[in-house]
Amino acid sequence: QPYPAPQIAGIETWLNSQSLTMGALKGKVVLIDFWTYSCINCVRTLPYLTGWDRKYRDQGLVIVGVHTPEFEFEKKRENVAAAIKQHGIEYPVALDNNFGTWDRFNNRYWPAHYLIDREGRVAYQHFGEGKYAVTENNIRYLLGLKGRVVDTDATRFSPMQTLETYLGYRRAKNFDFAMRRDAQAEYHFSAMLPEDHWALSGKWQAEAEKLVAAGPGATLRFNFNAAKVFLVLGTASGYPLHARIKLNGKPVGAFAGKDAQGGIVVVERNTLYELIDQKVQGMGLLEIEAQEPGLEAYAFTFG
């Protein structure tokens, strides 16, 4: 049942656009996309969104990316602007740093899509990845376009795949050691690391939403089940930092992710990095070793 679209409100600043309101957008078909730039699920939807923007903008579609941050660093305008450039986003993006619009929509998910008709009513919504053809056909229907697109989405989630895992103590799970909060500590790997669990070696500082390497050689292990491994990393100093990646105790070699070619990831800004690409889903033991202090690690996601 369509319902009146909540207002876009509490926005800190806009990118790619002047300030927009639902009133000003009436008469257009509007797609609200709640996203945040270091979320792999959001990143995987962006090619579809940018494609719809190119395809339907001149026919009355307005996409509004409402960027609602999961981590503190995602509140920075320059970080979001860099992500917009990286992904070729040309539609308006609103920085919803205080969750003003998120709360008005009573939203709970990244990504989340709300499709609003020309009368300003939410006519369709979808949470998470997938159903791209369904969403596009709803766009076409609201625009009054004939013909339907066919579902070519081959994305399927395996129930065996390791789940998203946060490392900061506020939401950390699946670790088998005593974590010292807001203090530097020396950690040591145990002999066994269960599936889907992680562990530390060397000097680390555990903070609410991240771990920070407190010395060179600080190492993080994860026993995962996936084809791809992504990790949100950052640099505490703002200067480039380096980390060495191993898989199953050996140089990562041909299984290096796109951001870890040659077995080294260079962390120049706070964002999502692809560390491992095994091509097919399988078990693996990842090691990421900080080459300098100040490397920040936030959350693992898998694909």
Side-chain angles (χ1 to χ4, degrees):
Q1 185 71 22
Y3 61 91
Q7 292 301 313
I8 300 171
I11 299 304
E12 186 164 303
T13 190
W14 287 80
L15 299 169
N16 290 349
S17 174
Q18 298 297 315
S19 177
L20 295 174
T21 65
M22 282 300 177
L25 291 168
K26 202 160 186 183
K28 299 281 190 179
V29 173
V30 180
L31 178 60
I32 300 286
D33 169 42
F34 285 98
W35 72 298
T36 189
Y37 81 80
S38 76
C39 158
I40 185 58
N41 309 93
C42 300
V43 168
R44 285 196 284 245
T45 66
L46 293 177
Y48 296 92
L49 288 156
T50 54
W52 295 333
D53 181 44
R54 289 191 298 269
K55 196 171 176 182
Y56 300 116
R57 179 186 287 223
D58 291 343
Q59 307 195 55
L61 176 68
V62 178
I63 299 177
V64 178
V66 178
H67 187 275
T68 314
E70 189 170 15
F71 299 113
E72 279 297 311
F73 67 79
E74 290 174 315
K75 294 180 177 180
K76 294 182 179 177
R77 185 185 192 279
E78 61 270 26
N79 289 352
V80 182
I84 287 172
K85 183 177 179 183
Q86 177 186 350
H87 296 291
I89 295 170
E90 296 180 350
Y91 50 79
V93 173
L95 269 60
D96 188 31
N97 285 347
N98 296 311
F99 286 66
T101 301
W102 172 285
D103 288 341
R104 278 173 170 77
F105 274 78
N106 197 29
N107 188 52
R108 295 293 176 267
Y109 306 100
W110 290 282
H113 300 132
Y114 295 83
L115 190 57
I116 298 161
D117 65 19
R118 295 184 191 273
E119 284 72 52
R121 300 170 301 185
V122 176
Y124 167 83
Q125 58 194 42
H126 177 255
F127 306 122
E129 297 179 64
K131 292 199 173 179
Y132 301 111
V134 176
T135 301
E136 184 171 357
N137 283 323
N138 275 280
I139 291 170
R140 294 180 64 83
Y141 174 78
L142 293 180
L143 289 173
L145 300 176
K146 295 191 186 320
R148 296 173 61 82
V149 297
V150 179
D151 186 4
T152 58
D153 175 35
T155 305
R156 298 290 181 267
F157 176 75
S158 164
M160 301 297 290
Q161 181 175 293
T162 302
L163 298 176
E164 182 175 27
T165 303
Y166 294 91
L167 303 174
Y169 63 70
R170 187 185 296 141
R171 290 186 284 178
K173 60 181 181 180
N174 289 1
F175 60 97
D176 294 326
F177 58 90
M179 186 185 293
R180 287 194 61 195
R181 295 185 171 199
D182 297 314
Q184 288 187 17
E186 182 88 30
Y187 296 94
H188 304 279
F189 291 138
S190 54
M192 269 288 295
L193 185 60
E195 184 177 339
D196 299 332
H197 281 60
W198 58 276
L200 300 175
S201 175
K203 283 188 179 178
W204 289 89
Q205 174 151 326
E207 299 181 6
E209 62 176 31
K210 64 189 174 188
L211 299 172
V212 185
T219 304
L220 169 62
R221 273 184 188 166
F222 202 120
N223 187 3
F224 69 91
N225 186 344
K228 291 189 175 189
V229 181
F230 304 86
L231 178 56
V232 178
L233 291 165
T235 163
S237 65
Y239 295 106
L241 297 175
H242 306 78
R244 188 177 304 279
I245 309 299
K246 288 184 179 179
L247 183 63
N248 302 323
K250 301 174 184 174
V252 68
F255 299 125
K258 67 180 177 63
D259 298 312
Q261 297 301 306
I264 296 288
V265 57
V266 182
V267 179
E268 296 183 303
R269 62 189 184 97
N270 292 55
T271 192
L272 186 75
Y273 293 84
E274 182 185 297
L275 304 183
I276 301 291
D277 183 1
Q278 298 193 106
K279 317 304 179 193
V280 295
Q281 182 173 333
M283 298 295 301
L285 183 66
L286 166 71
E287 277 192 15
I288 176 166
E289 179 188 337
Q291 303 298 286
E292 306 96 359
L295 183 75
E296 301 173 333
Y298 291 80
F300 281 101
T301 47
F302 301 88

